């Protein structure tokens, strides 16, 4: 079983930045795909960014130019750097991993962008 633990969420003002972390219980070399998703209150969960074991990244249009997904193999951790945050970024953010054909989710971390 693969465990994913998110951290780094919190309250931030519009225009501010946060860095979310997703710590995995095994090496990123074994994880085919990791991604960040978010779910705002009353909305469906949506993709924010993904990164593959080969280093390829993709972003939702709303995240391009503001968010960056990256991985640290030594720490078994994937990050989501979020800059220029907007109120519409407010959501619970979830880490997802696909490992050996199976899907895993973290518990989520809340991001609130408000004055």
């Amino acid at each position: 079983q693969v465990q994913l633990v998110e951290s780094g969420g919190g309250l931030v003002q519009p225009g501010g930045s946060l860095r979310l972390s997703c710590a995995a219980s095994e090496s990123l070399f074994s994880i085919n795909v990791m991604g960040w998703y978010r779910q705002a209150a009353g909305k469906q969960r949506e993709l924010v960014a993904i990164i593959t074991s080969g280093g390829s990244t993709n972003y939702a249009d709303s995240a391009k130019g503001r968010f960056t997904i990256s991985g640290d193999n030594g720490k078994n951790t994937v990050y989501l750097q979020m800059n220029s945050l907007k109120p519409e970024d407010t959501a619970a953010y979830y880490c997802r991993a696909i490992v050996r054909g199976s899907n895993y989710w973290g518990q989520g971390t809340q991001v609130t962008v408000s004055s």
Side-chain angles (χ1 to χ4, degrees), residues 59-83:
Y59 299 89
D61 288 341
S62 61
K64 289 181 179 178
R66 300 190 299 125
F67 295 3
T68 303
I69 187 170
S70 62
D72 185 331
N73 293 333
K75 296 182 178 180
N76 291 353
T77 300
V78 167
Y79 302 96
L80 183 68
Q81 178 68 46
M82 304 187 294
N83 299 324

Side-chain angles (χ1 to χ4, degrees), residues 29-115:
F29 291 117
S30 300
I31 301 176
N32 300 113
V33 181
M34 292 193 72
W36 287 96
Y37 294 72
R38 67 187 182 189
Q39 187 168 17
K43 304 292 185 180
Q44 291 187 322
R45 191 170 297 184
E46 64 179 7
L47 172 70
V48 178
I50 58 172
I51 186 167
T52 70
S53 59
S56 298
T57 59
N58 281 282
Y59 299 89
D61 288 341
S62 61
K64 289 181 179 178
R66 300 190 299 125
F67 295 3
T68 303
I69 187 170
S70 62
D72 185 331
N73 293 333
K75 296 182 178 180
N76 291 353
T77 300
V78 167
Y79 302 96
L80 183 68
Q81 178 68 46
M82 304 187 294
N83 299 324
S84 302
L85 284 162
K86 305 173 181 179
E88 51 263 44
D89 296 318
T90 296
Y93 283 71
Y94 296 88
C95 181
R96 179 202 182 200
I98 300 174
V99 185
R100 295 177 290 276
S102 297
N103 186 65
Y104 301 89
W105 291 92
Q107 82 287 352
T109 185
Q110 179 67 36
V111 172
T112 301
V113 184
S114 176
S115 297

